[in-house]
Amino acid sequence: QSVLAQPPTVSGAPGQRVTISCAGSSSNIGADADVHWYQQLPGAAPKILIYGDNNRPAGVPDRFSASKSGASASLSITGLQAEDEADYYCQSYDYSLSGSHVVFGGGTKLTVL
Amino acid sequence: QVHLAESGGALVMPGGSLRLSCEASGFIFSESFMSWIRQAPGKGLEWIANIGSSGTTIYYADSIKGRFTISRDNAKNSLYLQMSSLRAEDTALYYCARDNGYSYGYDSWGQGTQVTVSS
């Protein structure tokens, strides 16, 4: 059971828009902890897609965007392309008495129909 | 160009030990926080340990606390994970990643090294 909850799967047709949710709690996203998103293509290492809630690293297409509200975050992909088929993970920080720990969502597999 | 290369993964029996290494290049390793993150077969990402730039700040996930030790040698640009009392559930691909801070996330990842715990 991941600290951050993501839907296991989402799908969309080429050209469509999909959204992947990431639900946290008052000890992580709700505490205004930064949220980052990673894309993991089949057989590859994860790659950062969005950092600091809604910022794209150089080279990431503007089809990818993200937002955060309350204890949840979401990743949106517009103009879906076949190459977007991958696993997507949200990541944040959980604040507890023992300190700040990194937490990941369980991941969402995106299928491009 | 940032490059991280893990090594040391192997097939090991339950209860055994293993030491993973991660060699870094292309950036000032001694100024970077680093982490180990693992991915069990067909599963998601699991953060397991962080180490600060000087090696004095360390955090562990509860799942491995007391069994694994993260360390670094800045003179060798290397990160380590000493694993002991290994269990079947430790079977995973182990990644080292550069932690660029709370606001920037993990901006660089290695390709991973496979650890399989089985008799």
Side-chain angles (χ1 to χ4, degrees), chain A:
Chain A
Q1 196 89 359
S2 301
V3 174
L4 305 178
Q6 295 181 236
T9 62
V10 296
S11 62
Q16 285 190 332
R17 176 179 185 264
V18 296
T19 298
I20 297 171
S21 61
C22 174
S25 68
S26 58
S27 64
N28 41 69
I29 300 176
D32 202 26
D34 279 16
V35 179
H36 316 297
W37 291 88
Y38 302 87
Q39 178 192 58
Q40 186 175 33
L41 295 170
K47 179 190 89 166
I48 191 156
L49 196 64
I50 298 285
Y51 67 89
D53 296 343
N54 55 15
N55 300 286
R56 284 185 309 276
V60 173
D62 59 7
R63 302 186 295 105
F64 295 90
S65 64
S67 63
K68 186 174 81 176
S69 178
S72 294
S74 62
L75 172 72
S76 292
I77 310 171
T78 59
L80 261 184
Q81 299 180 4
E83 67 205 49
D84 298 333
E85 191 159 287
D87 294 324
Y88 293 84
Y89 295 90
C90 59
Q91 179 247 309
S92 188
Y93 305 87
D94 198 76
Y95 304 113
S96 67
L97 291 176
S98 60
S100 169
H101 288 191
V102 174
V103 288
F104 283 97
T108 298
K109 181 176 182 59
L110 168 63
T111 299
V112 180
L113 302 170

Side-chain angles (χ1 to χ4, degrees), chain A residues 34-36 38 40 43-48 51-52 55 87 89 91 93 95 98-107, chain B residues 35 37 39 43-47 50 59-62 65 93 95 99 101-112:
Chain A
D34 279 16
V35 179
H36 316 297
Y38 302 87
Q40 186 175 33
K47 179 190 89 166
I48 191 156
Y51 67 89
N55 300 286
D87 294 324
Y89 295 90
Q91 179 247 309
Y93 305 87
Y95 304 113
S98 60
S100 169
H101 288 191
V102 174
V103 288
F104 283 97
Chain B
S35 292
I37 295 162
Q39 186 169 33
K43 302 296 184 182
L45 301 171
E46 179 190 14
W47 166 81
N50 269 351
Y59 291 109
Y60 294 106
D62 289 343
K65 197 176 294 184
L93 187 62
Y95 294 103
D99 182 351
Y102 285 116
S103 296
Y104 298 94
Y106 293 105
D107 63 351
S108 300
W109 298 65
Q111 285 305 302

Side-chain angles (χ1 to χ4, degrees), chain B residues 74-116:
Chain B
N74 286 342
K76 295 183 178 179
N77 286 343
S78 291
L79 175 73
Y80 306 104
L81 185 69
Q82 180 66 47
M83 312 163 70
S84 61
S85 302
L86 283 162
R87 307 166 181 166
E89 54 264 37
D90 295 318
T91 294
L93 187 62
Y94 284 73
Y95 294 103
C96 69
R98 183 174 76 167
D99 182 351
N100 205 14
Y102 285 116
S103 296
Y104 298 94
Y106 293 105
D107 63 351
S108 300
W109 298 65
Q111 285 305 302
T113 187
Q114 179 66 41
V115 172
T116 301

